[in-house]
Amino acid sequence: MHPLRVAPIWLGAGGLGGAAAVAAGAVGPSIAALALPVALIGAVVLFAQPFLGVLALVVFSHLDAVEKLVFGFLPVSAFKLIAAGTAVIIALKGMQTKDRMTLALREPVVVCGLLTLCAAQISAVFADDRGLALDALRTFASLLMLMVLIVVTADTRTRVAILIYAVAATSLVSAAILLLETATGATLVAQSEAATTARTAEGFDRSSGGSDYNPTTAASMLLAGVVFALVHMLESARYRRIMAAIVIVGTLAIILSFARSAVVAYALIALLLVWRYRRERFVPLGLVVAAIGIVGFLPFIPAEYWERLGSIFGGGTGRDWTLGRRLTYNLIGLDLIAQNPLLGVGPGNFVHHFVDPAYRFLPGRTLLGRELHNMYLSVIVQLGLGALWFFAIFGYAFARLRAVARAPAGDAFRTLALALGYGFAAYLVASLFLPNEYTKYTWALPALCAALYHVNEAERMAGPGGAP
């Protein structure tokens, strides 16, 4: 949008917000004086550019702690308000967005997301705890809406690139916050109990960076952006210095997050990349530089970190009992699948069955409900055969990226497809050890894959003389 057209929008939004603040302050409490103008300004901005709302959703999918820090005074989650407001604006602009809505609802990634929600609804009917099932259904529905909004609004090369680069940018911000919190020993951003009370068995206080998820889940999102930056740096000279900064800062943050799952996934993807680029001239030099960097960072890595890694192989101090507890989660999950192979136990109901007295003698079983720390097994437990639709989301997403990489409309598309593919793959590997089915990135990343595909196809059809 041209700057001369944008200026009146911001001036009008500012004037409306100021008037609303004065009116709210005169007739209501101070919270209204803040919330009302923010809501009105947001409505004006979203009506002018719904894409900005989706960009905020992608950014806050990772930096949700920053969102709560900035908009914590609002009576409702800013993320939900932005999502609902953007959806309403798009619906009101029906004629303008009709074609994109049709495209989104025919996109296999979105269709599989919708069928996952339908399968969850069927399983919820037979769930033992209907309250947990309804909460999970609401979460599934909101995540599906996030997916649809991304595909609908990311309709140009610039827009889809902005959303994808936002994944890397938020990783840099979160990594910087994590390093600062680790250095100062203070919690600067996170507010949730999961993010602020995490401590390793070795006694090290962990940070979630800019996220309010627990540190391990936050590290999996951080990993997606770091691996994206790494592959982008290798594939293209564009933004290479920025991507290198994200890789360096992000890698150190992943280490200091004490997330073993992220480190394992990072190591596997790194080995895959070494194999992919094994014939490139920069590989030997790159490995030497990486080795020097690792040696240089060694003095800054706490001793507790090596104990935590050693626990994976049965080493360390032997105090970390969480690995054994996760084996118990999987054993309970397999037993529940054997009992409910078709429909599963219902969305969100694993925590209900986890505390069943039948499992009271298993090691690590607690009196508090716990989630199954394996996204793939967890979804099968909850939805039974309906989990196939959930897995199909990822299959179609990678098929879209493969199509872009094989027939790109330009080098930039190929770079984005490869970098996003490896970043997404790293995230999915880490999800082998995490209950990420309700994490926003699990749904946002496939939507970005689909959006990139459709923009690439549109530009290929337009040809060199087509509209940008």
Side-chain angles (χ1 to χ4, degrees), residues 29-48:
S30 58
I31 186 67
L34 291 173
L36 183 58
V38 169
L40 289 175
I41 292 173
V44 172
V45 173
L46 287 180
F47 189 82

Side-chain angles (χ1 to χ4, degrees), residues 13 27 66 88 97 111 131-132 152 164 194 223-224 254 291 332 335 416 465:
V27 301
V66 176
V88 169
T97 59
V111 171
L132 290 174
V152 169
I164 294 173
L223 175 67
I254 289 172
I332 294 175
D335 185 63
L416 287 175

Side-chain angles (χ1 to χ4, degrees), residues 207-296:
S207 169
S208 293
S211 174
D212 245 357
Y213 286 102
N214 66 75
T216 305
T217 300
S220 69
M221 296 187 291
L222 173 61
L223 175 67
V226 172
V227 172
F228 169 88
L230 175 60
V231 177
H232 195 289
M233 180 184 70
L234 296 175
E235 285 288 333
S236 173
R238 193 180 189 189
Y239 308 133
R240 180 162 285 166
R241 292 183 180 180
I242 298 175
M243 295 301 164
I246 295 174
V247 172
I248 294 171
V249 176
T251 299
L252 184 57
I254 289 172
I255 292 173
L256 293 179
S257 71
F258 278 69
R260 289 168 296 204
S261 55
V263 171
V264 170
Y266 200 170
L268 291 175
I269 294 297
L271 290 174
L272 186 60
L273 290 175
V274 169
W275 176 257
R276 174 182 173 82
Y277 296 106
R278 65 190 183 280
R279 293 188 177 91
E280 300 292 338
R281 290 184 298 175
F282 64 77
V283 170
L285 178 61
L287 292 176
V288 171
V289 172
I292 293 174
I294 292 172
V295 172

Side-chain angles (χ1 to χ4, degrees), residues 14-93:
L16 184 61
V22 173
V27 301
S30 58
I31 186 67
L34 291 173
L36 183 58
V38 169
L40 289 175
I41 292 173
V44 172
V45 173
L46 287 180
F47 189 82
Q49 279 290 355
F51 171 75
L52 295 179
V54 176
L55 175 59
L57 294 178
V58 172
V59 170
F60 291 147
S61 290
H62 188 171
L63 303 181
D64 51 337
V66 176
E67 169 224 322
K68 294 173 185 176
L69 186 66
V70 176
F71 299 105
F73 62 89
L74 295 175
V76 183
S77 163
F79 190 95
K80 293 179 180 178
L81 286 176
I82 295 171
T86 304
V88 169
I89 295 300
I90 289 175
L92 290 176
K93 294 187 171 185

Side-chain angles (χ1 to χ4, degrees), residues 425-443:
Y427 176 83
L428 292 181
V429 172
S431 297
L432 280 167
F433 314 98
L434 296 168
N436 269 347
E437 62 269 24
Y438 298 108
T439 302
K440 297 181 183 74
Y441 260 32
T442 304
W443 297 71

